[in-house]
Amino acid sequence: MKMIPLFKVRNMQEAIDFYTKILDFKQKYPEETADDPVVDLINDDGELQLTQYESETLYGSVVNIPITDIDERFQRYLNRGLDISCKPNSPVHQGPIDQTWGAREFYVTDPSGNTLRFRQWIASE
């Protein structure tokens, strides 16, 4: 079963720009605009939907994203303008760190408060 998260956003154009210009998403349907009720985004096999419906009442969805190039990916996002100053007291938002549960992770929180948790499993020796 494939699951597609739906992120509620405060500003649709800001969200589209964040996901397509900084992260590696593309619009699934290029004809969709910030005026549409839902905008569908894709990234390889992953999908994400953005909506402003009920955006005044619910924020803070979280999605875990397994990847294999964690350090390169974080640097790529920084090079594109990822702002890590919004969560200065969260080490996992400042760059990839090795977690005690065997994963190397970094988190990105979008302007509406949704968090993407990028995770690469560390090979055990």
Side-chain angles (χ1 to χ4, degrees), residues 66-68 70 99-105 119-124:
I67 59 174
T68 58
I70 196 154
Q99 303 284 21
T100 58
W101 50 87
R104 185 163 175 77
E105 298 181 328
R119 172 180 298 149
Q120 180 176 346
W121 293 107
I122 302 168
S124 58

Side-chain angles (χ1 to χ4, degrees), residues 11-26:
N11 180 303
M12 184 66 87
Q13 189 60 58
E14 178 182 54
I16 293 169
D17 289 346
F18 179 82
Y19 284 97
T20 61
K21 293 181 180 177
I22 294 177
L23 304 185
D24 291 318
F25 286 87
K26 293 180 174 43

Side-chain angles (χ1 to χ4, degrees), residues 7-16 18-19 50-52 55-61 86-87 108-116:
F7 280 4
K8 301 197 184 265
V9 300
R10 291 182 177 97
N11 180 303
M12 184 66 87
Q13 189 60 58
E14 178 182 54
I16 293 169
F18 179 82
Y19 284 97
L50 305 174
T51 186
Q52 284 187 232
S55 61
E56 69 282 351
T57 60
L58 178 63
Y59 293 106
S61 297
C86 65
K87 296 217 178 228
V108 173
T109 300
D110 75 12
S112 294
N114 300 296
T115 299
L116 293 89

